[in-house]
Amino acid sequence: MPHSVLIGFAVLVICHTSQAGYTKFPDGFTFGVATAAHQIEGAWNVSGKSENVWDRLSHTRPEMIADGTNGDIACDSYNRYREDVEELAYMGVDFYRFSFSWARILPSGRVDFVNPDGIRYYHDLLDALAEKNIEPLVTLFHWDLPQTLQDLGGWANPKMVDYFRDYADLCFKEFGRKIKSWITFNEPYEICEDAYGDEKKAPAIDSHGVGNYLCSDTLLKAHAEAYHLYNETYRPTQNGRIMISINSIWYEPSDTNNAEQVTLAEVANQFKFGWFAHPIFTEEGGYPSVMVENVAQQSAAEGLPKSRLEQFDQYWIDRIKGTSDFLGINHYTTHLITGAGVDPIAKSPSWLKDIGAVTTMNVGGESASEWLRVVPTGFANLLRWCKSSYNDPPIYITENGFSDRGTLQDYGRISYFNDYLSEILNVIYDDNVKVLGYTAWTLMDNFEWRAGFSERFGFYFVDITQPDRPRTPKLSVEYFRQLLATRELPQDERFKDPSMRRL
Ligand code: GBH
């Protein structure tokens, strides 16, 4: 074979994999879009729903929400779920990920009274989805704890294991005929660290270095109990699947040749992702050993008689191990590790101080959220790390998305989706990572927790200045619709930012 042909062939191969990249998703790969009850439903105090921790925070401390808004009306999905379903059907999604409002179903938090209007609402939504052939993927807990249970200590109260199991039991019994895919918890890290170890999320307990670890003890046990209940009592007849969605800010060394930074990035990933993934997805079970050691050491240095992080006993190690049919991953961004020591923003004591590394968000392109930088290669590294750390689990991406201020020509969002999806294809084809499905966050601009409506992640723009909160499709709706129709990354010129197109 003449030389030039060989070279030509090599160039072609290189172009196909790294320059042009893979574009086609494998057969059976599924796509969906996600929301969460408190962020979209509104109707916060009607039809029997009780107050939850986000109602309480946004009403009593409005200064803690960036624009002073709350979830009282949100996207009004309690009244307009049919529109939600129309939009999902237009986009052509395979599944819709949404969450149940615990306080709407069980106003006291306990099973002493089941609210018929809450039950009816979710049946109506499920029936509307079924009519359009859209599969439900339901999250039992997406942060909106009934205030009644918070008053008893929330996730720092060990009794919550029973309350959560009872709530899950009711949901499996009532809805299990219609729901074949369940998520127990959305982002345990955010629940435990941001809400109990800090005040970044409601109920803003800020018991740093203590409350966060009490929370993870309860939450992991509650998750395991719900899993076993489903597995033993409901799976035989309902034949569904159940998992947990763990979020990662993925950490990378700021200098990949710096051995100390490389080691510390691994420590940080164990503290962040491993905190909840290690107990469930490894053979060994329990918290990651580096986490156990670091917190014990820090606690000793603080003069404490025992570690702030209590280890699980053998019974619970075994009970928690293996309790997820898939690894659910919520991923948005990558941060960097710059060296050893106490991060200047760390409280004392705290989870961040326990890590013993300095972090920075100074990486990648910007979004409307300070914490969200665009680093697609970090996503690929996270996925490869999950494959090797957790014995090649089947993975669902249960959230991924980008924030701006609400522009309709949302090229930033489109290129984010395109580049992150392209990394999924790379790890599927080049590294055999078992990614089975992808969920984009989120259907429409919604109540973005402490950022209120100031950071917008939606496919549809929601005008909150108008009483009926009208929705307008952004360009990304067309992008996703084409992706869904062809199962290929859209190459259309109209999806490219005109300012880039000229280059
Ligand atoms: C997800 O959390 C949530 O599940 C979803 O409800 C939410 O709307 C969506 O993402 C978009 O945020 O240290 O003060 O800079 C994402 C998890 C939340 C992780 C914010 C980083 C940084 C807060 N992220 N957090 S801060």
Side-chain angles (χ1 to χ4, degrees):
M1 208 181 285
H3 231 76
S4 58
V5 173
L6 264 180
I7 290 168
F9 180 71
V11 167
L12 213 101
V13 168
I14 289 164
C15 287
H16 180 67
T17 55
S18 56
Q19 224 180 325
Y22 302 112
T23 55
K24 183 110 187 95
F25 282 84
D27 289 346
F29 191 95
T30 56
F31 290 94
V33 162
T35 61
H38 188 76
Q39 296 180 272
I40 65 162
E41 284 180 5
W44 79 279
N45 63 350
V46 304
S47 301
K49 178 184 160 296
S50 70
E51 185 189 29
N52 67 39
V53 294
W54 279 94
D55 296 319
R56 175 66 66 91
L57 185 83
S58 55
H59 292 155
T60 60
R61 301 170 73 185
E63 71 285 356
M64 293 199 49
I65 311 296
D67 56 3
T69 58
N70 53 46
D72 291 6
I73 302 172
C75 307
D76 197 24
S77 287
Y78 185 69
N79 296 304
R80 300 169 59 177
Y81 64 91
R82 280 190 197 83
E83 259 175 77
D84 299 357
V85 175
E86 285 302 324
E87 289 157 5
L88 292 160
Y90 177 77
M91 290 170 80
V93 300
D94 301 313
F95 64 90
Y96 177 40
R97 179 181 169 214
F98 64 98
S99 80
F100 283 168
S101 159
W102 191 336
R104 194 180 292 292
I105 293 176
L106 297 174
S108 77
R110 291 173 285 111
V111 281
D112 54 358
F113 170 67
V114 181
N115 177 24
D117 278 345
I119 298 288
R120 178 198 44 77
Y121 172 64
Y122 292 115
H123 273 303
D124 288 350
L125 171 57
L126 288 163
D127 294 344
L129 289 167
E131 261 172 49
K132 300 284 184 188
N133 252 317
I134 299 170
E135 261 216 59
L137 164 58
V138 172
T139 312
L140 287 168
F141 186 72
H142 199 124
W143 306 356
D144 46 356
L145 195 70
Q147 185 61 39
T148 48
L149 297 181
Q150 194 60 50
D151 292 342
L152 301 175
W155 296 107
N157 174 2
K159 194 71 190 157
M160 279 293 297
V161 176
D162 295 342
Y163 296 148
F164 183 72
R165 185 185 38 213
D166 292 348
Y167 161 59
D169 193 9
L170 172 77
C171 294
F172 298 151
K173 194 179 301 156
E174 179 68 40
F175 300 107
R177 214 165 39 80
K178 300 178 181 176
I179 298 169
K180 300 304 165 195
S181 304
W182 297 93
I183 292 171
T184 54
F185 287 93
N186 179 68
E187 303 190 348
Y189 170 88
E190 304 291 318
I191 298 164
C192 292
E193 177 54 24
D194 280 7
Y196 288 77
D198 207 316
E199 47 184 7
K200 291 176 181 170
K201 299 272 151 62
I205 302 292
D206 204 16
S207 165
H208 40 87
V210 178
N212 49 340
Y213 298 136
L214 296 180
C215 169
S216 64
D217 189 78
T218 313
L219 188 148
L220 280 160
K221 289 172 181 170
H223 160 79
E225 289 307 321
Y227 178 90
H228 288 298
L229 173 70
Y230 187 79
N231 200 36
E232 283 148 33
T233 310
Y234 294 96
R235 199 194 308 260
T237 52
Q238 297 184 353
N239 292 312
R241 299 157 290 274
I242 180 164
M243 64 174 154
I244 189 166
S245 284
I246 300 180
N247 68 307
S248 92
I249 280 179
W250 172 246
Y251 291 105
E252 297 203 340
S254 112
D255 171 5
T256 46
N257 294 317
N258 179 316
E260 184 183 49
Q261 286 181 17
V262 171
T263 307
L264 287 168
E266 172 64 18
V267 174
N269 287 323
Q270 289 298 345
F271 261 81
K272 182 105 190 183
F273 201 85
W275 185 4
F276 297 95
H278 196 277
I280 299 174
F281 293 95
T282 63
E283 280 293 312
E284 190 191 3
Y287 293 124
S289 55
V290 67
M291 192 168 181
V292 172
E293 285 156 23
N294 280 19
V295 185
Q297 246 169 45
Q298 286 287 333
S299 302
E302 290 151 14
L304 303 178
K306 61 177 189 176
S307 177
R308 285 178 279 99
L309 177 65
E310 191 179 328
Q311 291 187 61
F312 294 111
D313 62 18
Q314 199 56 48
Y315 172 81
W316 280 108
I317 288 179
D318 293 337
R319 185 98 180 133
I320 294 168
K321 247 188 342 191
T323 55
S324 193
D325 299 331
F326 306 97
L327 173 57
I329 299 179
N330 287 6
H331 177 77
Y332 291 84
T333 198
T334 294
H335 292 171
L336 301 179
I337 298 292
T338 56
V342 183
D343 195 306
I345 62 168
K347 296 174 182 173
S348 186
S350 66
W351 170 87
L352 184 53
K353 191 178 177 198
D354 289 334
I355 297 178
V358 181
T359 66
T360 174
M361 309 182 192
N362 192 12
V363 52
E366 295 185 2
S367 69
S369 312
E370 195 195 5
W371 57 272
L372 203 175
R373 297 303 182 96
V374 184
V375 192
T377 53
F379 190 22
N381 292 335
L382 161 69
L383 290 168
R384 284 188 284 260
W385 182 84
C386 284
K387 177 185 165 89
S388 62
S389 304
Y390 304 115
N391 193 26
D392 199 12
I395 294 171
Y396 273 93
I397 305 306
T398 41
E399 278 180 36
N400 176 239
F402 175 85
S403 65
D404 54 28
R405 300 285 173 204
T407 172
L408 295 181
Q409 300 298 312
D410 55 342
Y411 296 111
R413 175 164 299 101
I414 291 171
S415 82
Y416 179 97
F417 281 141
N418 198 73
D419 294 351
Y420 275 66
L421 284 165
S422 165
E423 293 297 345
I424 292 182
L425 291 174
N426 288 340
V427 303
I428 290 176
Y429 294 125
D430 293 343
D431 306 288
N432 289 311
V433 182
K434 293 192 198 117
V435 186
L436 307 177
Y438 175 87
T439 321
W441 183 268
T442 181
L443 179 58
M444 56 206 150
D445 295 340
N446 56 43
F447 179 67
E448 177 52 25
W449 311 111
R450 287 199 52 194
F453 283 83
S454 70
E455 297 170 15
R456 287 162 177 264
F457 283 82
F459 282 107
Y460 284 80
F461 174 78
V462 177
D463 185 353
I464 60 162
T465 65
Q466 311 240 24
D468 61 339
R469 308 215 160 188
R471 302 157 181 192
T472 311
K474 303 177 187 174
L475 185 60
S476 55
V477 168
E478 293 306 319
Y479 173 86
F480 214 63
R481 183 171 195 242
Q482 185 168 322
L483 168 71
L484 268 293
T486 61
R487 308 283 154 163
E488 258 181 80
L489 291 179
Q491 305 295 314
D492 274 36
E493 280 300 304
R494 66 179 167 142
F495 297 129
K496 304 210 169 94
D497 189 335
S499 58
M500 306 278 282
R501 219 188 277 166
R502 264 181 260 117
L503 293 177

